[in-house]
Amino acid sequence: MSKQTGYADINGLRMYYEIHGSGGTPLVLLHGGLFNIDLQFGELLEGLAAGRQVIAADFQGHGYTNDIDRPLGTPALASDVVALLEHLDVPQADVFGFSVGGAVALYLAIKHPELVRKAVISSVSFHPSGDRAENTDAVGEMKVEMIAGTPMEADYLAKSPHPDHEHLQTLLDKLGGYDRGTEGWSDDDIRGIAAPTLLTFGDADAVKLEHVVRFHQLRGGDVNGDFVGVPASQLAIFPGTTHFTGLGRTALVLDTVTTFLDA
């Protein structure tokens, strides 16, 4: 499988990206907080790129992308993605985002509808009321010592342009304040998304299942498809799956996502 890598100078960042495969509508992969391209999508990349071009990027302060003096939040990260697509001369793409990346994918679908053909939005709420409290509390108190010996620590030290624990703690602090105080999206915002959406969650995720169902209903789901047709927007709940292991069922995730994108 062909792979090209590069950096784009965007919004003060040197944003690292990879391009895998070719053909079809490009698919943009947006990873979660403290993860990066490899940690989030490494097992999925080959399958996703089998039938299309895949563009994957490391967010601010993650993977090979440097950090800058800017808080981490969805509008800022979304602006980086918009600028990257412009840099790569991609007028429209499919997006697949997990957790923080899911928040960015949702933002793009709402605020930049012209850029998004289809959106896969994984393991993220559209409103803070949908989040389980313990997850929010834990992320807000993350310390470097808590992730010592994990793949996240190892990858950070191996890839970061500033590979030390001080910068890693800064990243954890920024993630702890991610989108804090924001109001989320209204029901009308979610109803109004033009692109078909695939929502994916674990059955033991950080997002409450009643919120997941509401999300799906606002996208036109929860109907009797035999009588009214299968909605363009879909929902997948992966069994035995937590927030941390959200995309771990590789074969299941690949089949679910590629079937939706190719429909």
Side-chain angles (χ1 to χ4, degrees):
M1 182 176 65
S2 64
K3 168 183 166 181
Q4 90 188 62
T5 65
Y7 287 89
D9 293 313
I10 286 165
N11 298 337
L13 291 175
R14 284 198 79 227
M15 192 174 193
Y16 174 80
Y17 66 88
E18 298 178 358
I19 299 175
H20 299 256
S22 61
T25 302
L27 172 63
V28 179
L29 302 183
L30 306 171
H31 64 78
L34 208 54
F35 279 62
N36 55 44
I37 297 169
D38 292 335
L39 287 176
Q40 192 81 77
F41 296 108
E43 298 296 312
L44 294 164
L45 265 168
E46 188 174 351
L48 290 172
R52 77 202 78 240
Q53 183 185 77
V54 173
I55 300 164
D58 284 336
F59 282 135
Q60 171 192 342
H62 291 76
Y64 293 109
T65 299
N66 62 314
D67 199 2
I68 54 174
D69 185 14
R70 179 183 77 171
L72 280 178
T74 299
L77 297 185
S79 74
D80 298 338
V81 177
V82 171
L84 177 64
L85 291 177
E86 200 173 309
H87 173 81
L88 295 173
D89 200 23
V90 174
Q92 190 182 51
D94 295 332
V95 293
F96 178 6
F98 183 87
S99 189
V100 162
V104 174
L106 181 58
Y107 185 99
L108 293 171
I110 293 170
K111 294 289 195 180
H112 296 275
E114 73 288 347
L115 283 179
V116 180
R117 187 188 73 114
K118 290 186 177 185
V120 182
I121 297 164
S122 298
S123 292
V124 72
S125 64
F126 68 85
H127 190 275
S129 61
D131 298 324
R132 298 188 195 279
E134 62 269 14
N135 206 68
T136 312
D137 296 344
V139 171
E141 297 167 3
M142 288 282 276
K143 295 284 178 272
V144 168
E145 298 76 40
M146 296 178 184
I147 61 166
T150 65
M152 290 98 77
E153 182 202 38
D155 248 45
Y156 184 88
L157 296 175
K159 293 178 178 175
S160 175
H162 20 69
D164 59 69
H165 284 115
E166 190 179 344
H167 281 90
L168 177 54
Q169 185 59 57
T170 299
L171 175 60
L172 292 174
D173 293 343
K174 288 184 179 186
L175 286 169
Y178 191 90
D179 279 359
R180 181 166 291 159
T182 54
E183 293 177 357
W185 301 103
S186 70
D187 287 4
D188 284 342
D189 289 329
I190 302 303
R191 276 194 202 98
I193 295 170
T197 52
L198 167 65
L199 307 175
T200 88
F201 296 86
D203 61 353
D205 211 318
V207 181
K208 299 171 188 171
L209 283 174
E210 63 260 32
H211 182 81
V212 170
V213 172
R214 180 71 186 141
F215 204 162
H216 184 49
Q217 289 168 334
L218 291 170
R219 298 299 302 131
D222 194 15
V223 299
N224 191 329
D226 287 325
F227 290 87
V228 301
V230 175
S233 292
Q234 298 171 10
L235 169 67
I237 304 287
F238 299 130
T241 299
T242 68
H243 192 73
F244 190 76
T245 62
L247 301 179
R249 301 285 296 272
T250 305
L252 197 55
V253 174
L254 264 180
D255 178 65
T256 304
V257 170
T258 56
T259 300
F260 168 74
L261 294 176
D262 293 341

